[in-house]
Amino acid sequence: MIRELPLVNPPRSMRFHRLLSPVKALLSFALLLGMASTSIAEDPTPARYQSILAKAVRHVAERALPSVVTIEVIGVMQADGEVRQDAPTSGVVIDEQGHVLTSSWVTGGDSASIIVNAPTGKRYPAEVVAKDEHRDLVLLKIASGDETWQPIEFPSTDQATDTVGETVVAVARYGEINTPMVSTGILSAIGRLDGTAIQTDARISPAFYGGPLVDLKGRFRGIVIPAVGEGGAEESTAWYDSGIAFAVPSPIIAQKLDQLRRGENIQQGLLGFVVAGSDPYADGTELSVVRKRSPADKAGLKVGDELKTIGGQNVTRRQEIKLALGRYDAGNEVEIEYERDGKRMSSTATMIATIPPLQPQFIGVIAADEMEEKTADDSTEDKSKPSVSVIVQNVWNQSPADGILKINDRLIELDGAPILDTNALRQRLWASDPEIAMELIIERDGETQAVSIDPLTLDGPLDRIQSFKTPAPLAADAWNVEDLQLPDITNEAAIWFPKSELAAETAPDETPLSPLALAIVLAPPKDRDPSAILGAWKDLARERHVAVCVICSDGDDQWRPNEIDAITKLTAASLKRSGALPSAVSLIGGGAFMMNEKANPADSMALGASLSTTNVFAGVAISNETEPPAVRLRKDGPPRLLRVLIPNPPDSELPFWAETLRRIGCPLQTTLTLNRDLCLQWTQSLLAM
């Protein structure tokens, strides 16, 4: 599983769960129940099915409950200094020595004590032995006591095969009196969370976390964990009671127990490469980025290599690579087979827990992909793949590339590896080492030559990156305001952009139009008229050659998390309508540009939307007082190509969440204050890389 890091750790509310026993797939239940003494055919009524199901559920729950304990976390310190007691959760006894396996729910915050409430009702203090951070599991050890512990029985290998559609039962205890809790469902998917979990539609609350999942024969199938699918929610409990829940399979748990008993923490393993392309399900395993000094780099992998197998498992697309790597932890060795220049090769890499944070670099070029026409006698190229040339369209004023690269230069190689396309080039610049000159092979006027560029780190004061020399602005009548309305979106939106046909007529003579950038402005909830809000942006946007779309919240009191989808769809519609470059889209919060105004909900929404989507936005501008949303962030994967712009007045400190953003590779660009013109200048700078 590619681990997701919480930007913040919001307090968990005390949540209660009702006793659930839904009847699902009754015929399959009946066929599975060998304990029934009366044939279904004798009484084929729904009541009969319900009776058989209820009997089976009671039977397997009674078998599991002696191994299920309640766990209380007491004295958790919150960010505001308050102390809370978390809602109780569950755990599973795994041996007679008093080791209890539970979920990461109990270690989500620093606590004064952890109490295990045994099935007998006796309460015992417990200590953390080790954590499996890759799979959200924690091993506890009862500190003292004379309790006789009844461990859960692990199924044999031939009994642990997971079959989609089979009936499963989640078992838990709750509260001081250890109230039994049961929720039934089917095993709805396997290999979830990048191959580390199984999925069930049993309705799960936090009380079930750490409890066992069993089948109708009473076999232990896994431990329920607090997790959501990638990009599926803001926090691990967001799918609470929704019918989507995850559990770590018992065979995987059995493999990791000895390591946990020795007190060794387990972390997800990382390799440090990125596969080309933006669609994880599209065919193709060609590497577009290999991080310097990463396990992939040490194993000899290079940009352009095409992965064939990982750990003996064939891979043909990025999603399959994630699944193949998901079962490996830091410290594990993995064999990788790949193809380079038509030759099959193999190497072994040792995975590590952390890779140093990215320090994205900037050279200051605006480039575009240009398709190359292949000749009929071209036998050196793979004709199944399009051939792309990366052509320099412009060079940023006083940038590292200024005076070195020129318009119409063809970029061929970077540091000895071919440049696949502009997106791959942007990713490689994002992953490059700081303060190390980049060696480029270019073609200029039909001749090939090598050039060297000293890059600039994006993180830091914005004034280090000079403004682009914008051509003379288009006439005002070449620009137009249009309302944006989508069938399934109720948010009001309007866009100010140059109409292509009018722009061509009114462009200054012999002055090439620069690419168009796009600023998405989220209005404070109290502002309800997007066309009126655009009034303050029009002249500045025309001068900076930046299209502006204003989006209002659906309600007049707040922005809500489910509106991220509306923002994303309206952004896509704005790109289509304006013709702006998808790689130069900024998201601007309401407090980021309003003079003498504190942060407002639009800022939190802007930060949440930019982090919850995958490279939809190239930058987000927000107030430095923004209240960060609870967003779960991926630990590994393609670089998040997102710049963050905040004001940083003299003698002020950066917000506490700034370092978290830097750790995931988002450069933090600062300025003394923010205003509309500065936000648009900065949006225009997103055109360059």
Side-chain angles (χ1 to χ4, degrees):
M1 177 182 74
I2 294 180
R3 176 87 167 125
E4 296 170 335
L5 299 178
L7 186 60
V8 295
N9 183 28
R12 305 184 185 100
S13 61
M14 298 288 286
R15 291 167 171 163
F16 296 85
H17 190 275
R18 63 187 179 277
L19 188 64
L20 297 174
S21 57
V23 178
K24 302 175 182 178
L26 295 176
L27 181 56
S28 64
F29 293 159
L31 294 176
L32 286 169
L33 292 178
M35 66 191 71
S37 59
T38 304
S39 170
I40 297 289
E42 296 177 11
D43 186 7
T45 63
R48 178 58 180 162
Y49 296 145
Q50 292 177 4
S51 175
I52 293 174
L53 173 60
K55 181 178 178 180
V57 170
R58 285 196 301 270
H59 178 76
V60 298
E62 288 170 357
R63 286 182 56 184
L65 278 168
S67 303
V68 180
V69 297
T70 302
I71 299 175
E72 300 175 43
V73 181
I74 299 174
V76 178
M77 183 69 71
Q78 300 181 160
D80 59 7
E82 295 292 326
V83 176
R84 73 175 190 271
Q85 176 176 342
D86 268 349
T89 186
S90 297
V92 177
V93 178
I94 52 95
D95 60 30
E96 295 177 351
Q97 289 71 48
H99 283 100
V100 174
L101 201 59
T102 185
S103 78
S104 59
W105 179 260
V106 303
T107 54
D110 295 329
S111 61
S113 60
I114 298 173
I115 302 298
V116 171
N117 194 351
T120 60
K122 295 181 180 180
R123 294 158 56 84
Y124 300 95
E127 297 177 349
V128 174
V129 176
K131 304 175 185 178
D132 184 345
E133 298 178 8
H134 188 180
R135 301 169 186 83
D136 286 317
L137 296 175
V138 175
L139 183 65
L140 304 177
K141 177 67 169 63
I142 307 303
S144 62
D146 56 358
E147 190 83 20
T148 300
W149 300 102
Q150 181 171 325
I152 199 159
E153 181 179 349
F154 281 78
S156 60
T157 303
D158 60 340
Q159 295 177 324
T161 302
D162 294 317
T163 304
V164 172
E166 67 175 314
T167 303
V168 290
V169 181
V171 182
R173 292 185 183 273
Y174 184 83
E176 294 183 2
I177 60 173
N178 280 330
T179 303
M181 300 177 64
V182 174
S183 183
T184 64
I186 62 169
L187 196 153
S188 48
I190 59 176
R192 295 287 279 117
L193 303 182
D194 298 335
T196 64
I198 54 179
Q199 181 178 323
T200 175
D201 69 347
R203 300 175 73 87
I204 297 300
S205 74
F208 282 89
Y209 297 152
L213 193 69
V214 298
D215 61 20
L216 284 183
K217 293 184 179 179
R219 294 175 299 199
F220 174 44
R221 307 309 294 270
I223 287 182
V224 178
I225 57 172
V228 296
E230 179 186 326
E234 294 179 359
E235 55 177 309
S236 60
T237 59
W239 287 350
Y240 151 67
D241 207 21
S242 68
I244 302 175
F246 300 99
V248 180
S250 57
I252 294 179
I253 295 171
Q255 294 172 11
K256 307 299 176 183
L257 273 180
D258 285 345
Q259 185 175 350
L260 292 173
R261 285 193 182 102
R262 292 194 299 266
E264 300 173 9
N265 291 334
I266 299 172
Q267 294 179 293
Q268 175 196 354
L270 307 176
L271 283 178
F273 61 67
V274 176
V275 178
S278 58
D279 183 356
Y281 299 97
D283 288 338
T285 60
E286 190 171 2
L287 299 184
S288 63
V289 174
V290 176
R291 297 279 299 275
K292 297 292 179 63
R293 295 180 295 279
S294 68
D297 182 40
K298 293 177 181 178
L301 292 174
K302 295 182 179 181
V303 171
D305 289 347
E306 188 173 346
L307 303 185
K308 295 298 183 180
T309 70
I310 292 179
Q313 184 173 330
N314 292 330
V315 292
T316 59
R317 56 181 64 91
R318 196 169 79 209
Q319 182 64 20
E320 292 177 350
I321 294 173
K322 289 170 56 181
L323 290 173
L325 290 174
R327 65 180 187 270
Y328 292 98
D329 301 321
N332 292 161
E333 290 187 346
V334 56
E335 185 175 359
I336 303 170
E337 292 187 359
Y338 55 95
E339 187 175 290
R340 179 186 299 166
D341 299 328
K343 182 179 178 181
R344 190 91 168 209
M345 308 175 73
S346 67
S347 184
T348 299
T350 301
M351 304 187 80
I352 59 177
T354 59
I355 295 176
L358 295 170
Q359 298 185 49
Q361 303 298 296
F362 176 82
I363 59 174
V365 295
I366 300 175
D369 293 334
E370 185 176 283
M371 300 302 296
E372 293 181 353
E373 293 186 6
K374 296 179 182 178
T375 61
D377 59 351
D378 186 357
S379 60
T380 62
E381 297 284 346
D382 181 358
K383 295 180 175 56
S384 66
K385 295 182 180 180
S387 184
V388 175
S389 286
V390 177
I391 307 298
V392 175
Q393 288 187 316
N394 223 317
V395 180
W396 210 256
N397 184 39
Q398 299 182 38
S399 70
D402 192 12
I404 299 175
L405 296 179
K406 296 182 178 180
I407 294 174
N408 293 325
D409 281 350
R410 178 174 175 247
L411 307 182
I412 302 172
E413 290 185 3
L414 172 62
D415 292 335
I419 297 172
L420 306 177
D421 53 36
T422 54
N423 184 58
L425 175 59
R426 193 179 297 270
Q427 289 183 338
R428 291 177 64 184
L429 291 174
W430 217 258
S432 297
D433 285 339
E435 301 178 357
I436 297 179
M438 296 178 175
E439 304 300 325
L440 278 165
I441 303 297
I442 67 171
E443 182 183 292
R444 179 183 296 165
D445 299 328
E447 296 184 357
T448 301
Q449 58 181 286
V451 299
S452 180
I453 298 177
D454 294 316
L456 178 69
T457 300
L458 279 170
D459 192 277
L462 182 63
D463 57 13
R464 297 176 307 125
I465 300 176
Q466 298 296 318
S467 176
F468 178 62
K469 293 179 179 178
T470 308
L474 300 172
D477 58 4
W479 288 68
N480 182 59
V481 172
E482 282 189 11
D483 291 333
L484 278 183
Q485 294 181 335
L486 300 180
D488 55 342
I489 301 298
T490 55
N491 298 70
E492 298 285 342
I495 183 172
W496 168 248
F497 67 103
K499 284 193 168 182
S500 56
E501 63 274 13
L502 294 177
E505 295 174 3
T506 61
D509 292 341
E510 299 181 358
T511 301
L513 285 175
S514 64
L516 186 70
L518 171 65
I520 304 293
V521 178
L522 301 187
K526 61 184 178 62
D527 295 328
R528 313 302 304 156
D529 187 345
S531 296
I533 297 171
L534 276 175
W537 293 84
K538 289 182 178 179
D539 289 342
L540 293 171
R542 187 170 61 85
E543 291 174 9
R544 298 294 177 189
H545 201 61
V546 177
V548 178
C549 173
V550 173
I551 303 175
C552 294
S553 60
D554 194 29
D556 57 7
D557 56 342
Q558 61 179 316
W559 279 94
R560 294 176 173 82
N562 60 6
E563 292 178 85
I564 291 177
D565 183 58
I567 294 170
T568 303
K569 290 179 178 178
L570 286 167
T571 298
S574 298
L575 284 169
K576 183 177 181 180
R577 193 71 190 93
S578 65
L581 280 186
S583 60
V585 182
S586 70
L587 190 57
I588 301 175
F593 61 85
M594 300 180 70
M595 300 302 292
N596 301 317
E597 178 120 1
K598 300 290 186 180
N600 64 63
D603 291 282
S604 294
M605 190 63 185
L607 182 57
S610 62
L611 293 173
S612 298
T613 53
T614 303
N615 296 332
V616 173
F617 305 100
V620 57
I622 52 176
S623 166
N624 60 348
E625 297 180 358
T626 298
E627 185 69 26
V631 176
R632 292 175 63 84
L633 305 174
R634 293 182 53 170
K635 187 177 181 180
D636 193 26
R640 188 182 297 274
L641 311 180
L642 179 71
R643 307 181 201 178
V644 182
L645 179 65
I646 62 170
N648 186 34
D651 302 323
S652 67
E653 295 183 357
L654 291 175
F656 69 91
W657 39 262
E659 280 308 308
T660 301
L661 294 176
R662 283 173 167 157
R663 281 200 301 272
I664 62 170
C666 297
L668 204 69
Q669 299 183 292
T670 59
T671 183
L672 294 179
T673 186
L674 287 184
N675 55 52
R676 293 180 179 86
D677 189 34
L678 185 62
C679 285
L680 292 177
Q681 289 185 54
W682 171 75
T683 298
Q684 190 189 56
S685 77
L686 302 178
L687 291 165
M689 56 182 160

